[in-house]
Amino acid sequence: MADVNIIGQGAVDANAQNGDWWVDAKTRRGAWRPRMLFLCRCRNVRVQGVTFRNSYSWTIHPYFSEHIQFLDVSVLNHAMSPNTDGINPESCKDVKIIGAKISVGDDCIAIKSGKRFMGEKLKTPSSGILVRNCLLERGHGGTVIGSEVSGGVNDVQVRQGLLTDTDRGLRIKTRRGRGSACFLDNIQFENVRMDGVLTPFVINMFYFCDPDGHSDYVRDKSARPVSEDTPHIGKLVCRNITCTNCSIAGAFFYGLPEMPIDCVEMENIFISFRPHAQEGYPAMMDDIEMKKKMGLFARNLKKLSLKQVKIEGFEGQSILADGIGQFIKEE
């Protein structure tokens, strides 16, 4: 499908006749639930001004598509509805998400490129993704990369947005087994404000997803041999970001010991914690403790650059870093 415009001020509501379906445990764990808008191998599609409500799973799912625009759309799902991500580009090229309001029961925006079989067979990364002037609220993550990223992700820009009351802000998640084509690189997060985000910045290379997610292979914090199973995270840049009323941690970066994160650069960042912060896990991985008011944690990075990074209201040390090849810190 090519050259299609879906424009209007109307609403698409999937739950008008079915009540609060997510309260039923059998429904929550049961059969596959449909996407609300699925774009498969489409080109030159614009969706503008439409509101999507009460999806049964991922709300908007562009799949192996390119030159797609989502302008001034709203995605509104109940906070307790599981797996109801907002917009999930998967193996897509040139996607613009501009002026969106997203409030959901899972990740607001999740950029993907398939699990191992699809990623290795088709080798189609998601690339050229722009998220700008968006309100992302009350999801598990604001802008998320992963964890189904076996085809890779590159050239992601998140700019001039507001994130409120999400569990995490920028969230990158992968794990052993995603494969060597899982190369995540050139990710930029700039001119963003966060309020009430429990942990604003997360890179987690031990994400405990899939049936083997809690196996020794995934959870082992010692170095394993680098192989065709090993994912790779390149460069993340965060600039001009204010984070207020955080709770668990300001930033949590945990690379694989056998494949450290290439580079994290943070510049002009302000992080403060709410006085009565709640305790929780900074990332979904095994063998870590619950935290609150933890400043910046970094482990297994080739380069960490912190310039004008200010953290207030933390407990303990402001920065906990080890396994860092090059550490640059400028006040």
Side-chain angles (χ1 to χ4, degrees), residues 241-311:
I241 300 173
T242 298
C243 311
T244 53
N245 293 308
C246 304
S247 286
I248 298 172
F252 185 88
F253 306 129
Y254 209 133
L256 292 172
E258 68 269 23
M259 185 63 73
I261 299 160
D262 281 355
C263 178
V264 173
E265 295 183 358
M266 306 185 78
E267 182 176 356
N268 191 25
I269 308 293
F270 175 77
I271 299 170
S272 66
F273 291 89
R274 62 180 61 187
H276 304 290
Q278 66 185 83
E279 188 178 54
Y281 292 104
M284 294 177 67
M285 60 189 296
D286 285 318
D287 308 315
I288 60 171
E289 297 178 355
M290 296 181 74
K291 300 290 183 180
K292 67 175 181 178
K293 298 186 180 182
M294 182 171 68
L296 184 150
F297 175 92
R299 178 170 291 166
N300 301 330
L301 282 73
K302 294 179 182 177
K303 179 181 177 181
L304 176 62
S305 176
L306 307 177
K307 299 180 179 180
Q308 291 82 52
V309 175
K310 185 176 182 181
I311 306 174

Side-chain angles (χ1 to χ4, degrees), residues 197-269:
V197 175
L198 302 183
T199 303
F201 307 96
V202 174
I203 301 178
N204 175 13
M205 296 189 76
F206 291 90
Y207 183 59
F208 54 37
C209 60
D210 298 333
D212 66 337
H214 298 285
S215 66
D216 290 341
Y217 171 68
V218 175
R219 70 193 297 171
D220 185 7
K221 303 304 185 297
S222 61
R224 296 230 170 186
V226 174
S227 71
E228 67 275 7
D229 299 324
T230 309
H232 183 185
I233 293 179
K235 186 175 183 178
L236 165 66
V237 175
C238 303
R239 295 193 185 100
N240 307 324
I241 300 173
T242 298
C243 311
T244 53
N245 293 308
C246 304
S247 286
I248 298 172
F252 185 88
F253 306 129
Y254 209 133
L256 292 172
E258 68 269 23
M259 185 63 73
I261 299 160
D262 281 355
C263 178
V264 173
E265 295 183 358
M266 306 185 78
E267 182 176 356
N268 191 25
I269 308 293

Side-chain angles (χ1 to χ4, degrees), residues 63-308:
Y63 182 77
F64 287 88
S65 298
E66 59 184 43
H67 313 309
I68 310 295
Q69 300 181 52
F70 300 102
L71 312 176
D72 190 31
V73 300
S74 295
V75 180
L76 308 175
N77 298 326
H78 194 280
M80 297 303 294
S81 58
N83 206 33
T84 55
D85 297 24
I87 303 176
N88 287 9
E90 183 171 4
S91 295
C92 290
K93 180 180 179 180
D94 183 23
V95 178
K96 294 179 173 62
I97 304 171
I98 300 175
K101 177 182 178 180
I102 304 177
S103 181
V104 293
D106 207 314
D107 294 326
C108 294
I109 296 170
I111 301 165
K112 303 175 181 290
S113 60
K115 291 189 178 181
R116 183 68 177 273
F117 172 78
M118 194 64 69
E120 283 192 343
K121 182 177 180 180
L122 300 179
K123 293 183 172 60
T124 306
S126 279
S127 63
I129 312 294
L130 173 63
V131 179
R132 193 180 72 203
N133 294 98
C134 292
L135 170 60
L136 309 177
E137 61 182 5
R138 206 199 59 203
H140 290 182
T143 299
V144 177
I145 298 171
S147 72
E148 303 96 317
V149 280
S150 289
V153 173
N154 61 75
D155 188 18
V156 175
Q157 300 179 47
V158 181
R159 297 178 175 174
Q160 298 163 230
L162 172 62
L163 285 73
T164 64
D165 301 315
T166 60
D167 293 347
R168 297 161 186 90
L170 174 68
R171 182 186 189 191
I172 301 173
K173 51 184 180 177
T174 187
R175 44 150 289 184
R176 294 185 183 107
R178 286 295 185 241
S180 57
C182 176
F183 183 31
L184 317 179
D185 195 24
N186 191 23
I187 299 160
Q188 301 178 43
F189 204 55
E190 300 181 311
N191 302 313
V192 171
R193 184 161 62 91
M194 303 190 215
D195 186 62
V197 175
L198 302 183
T199 303
F201 307 96
V202 174
I203 301 178
N204 175 13
M205 296 189 76
F206 291 90
Y207 183 59
F208 54 37
C209 60
D210 298 333
D212 66 337
H214 298 285
S215 66
D216 290 341
Y217 171 68
V218 175
R219 70 193 297 171
D220 185 7
K221 303 304 185 297
S222 61
R224 296 230 170 186
V226 174
S227 71
E228 67 275 7
D229 299 324
T230 309
H232 183 185
I233 293 179
K235 186 175 183 178
L236 165 66
V237 175
C238 303
R239 295 193 185 100
N240 307 324
I241 300 173
T242 298
C243 311
T244 53
N245 293 308
C246 304
S247 286
I248 298 172
F252 185 88
F253 306 129
Y254 209 133
L256 292 172
E258 68 269 23
M259 185 63 73
I261 299 160
D262 281 355
C263 178
V264 173
E265 295 183 358
M266 306 185 78
E267 182 176 356
N268 191 25
I269 308 293
F270 175 77
I271 299 170
S272 66
F273 291 89
R274 62 180 61 187
H276 304 290
Q278 66 185 83
E279 188 178 54
Y281 292 104
M284 294 177 67
M285 60 189 296
D286 285 318
D287 308 315
I288 60 171
E289 297 178 355
M290 296 181 74
K291 300 290 183 180
K292 67 175 181 178
K293 298 186 180 182
M294 182 171 68
L296 184 150
F297 175 92
R299 178 170 291 166
N300 301 330
L301 282 73
K302 294 179 182 177
K303 179 181 177 181
L304 176 62
S305 176
L306 307 177
K307 299 180 179 180
Q308 291 82 52

Side-chain angles (χ1 to χ4, degrees), residues 5-11 46-52 71-74:
N5 293 325
I6 303 173
I7 301 172
Q9 299 300 314
R46 176 165 58 122
V47 181
Q48 183 172 350
V50 182
T51 296
F52 299 85
L71 312 176
D72 190 31
V73 300
S74 295

Side-chain angles (χ1 to χ4, degrees), residues 21-31 33:
W21 58 268
W22 56 85
V23 302
D24 183 350
K26 292 181 181 179
T27 300
R28 184 168 64 248
R29 299 170 185 167
R33 300 191 301 269

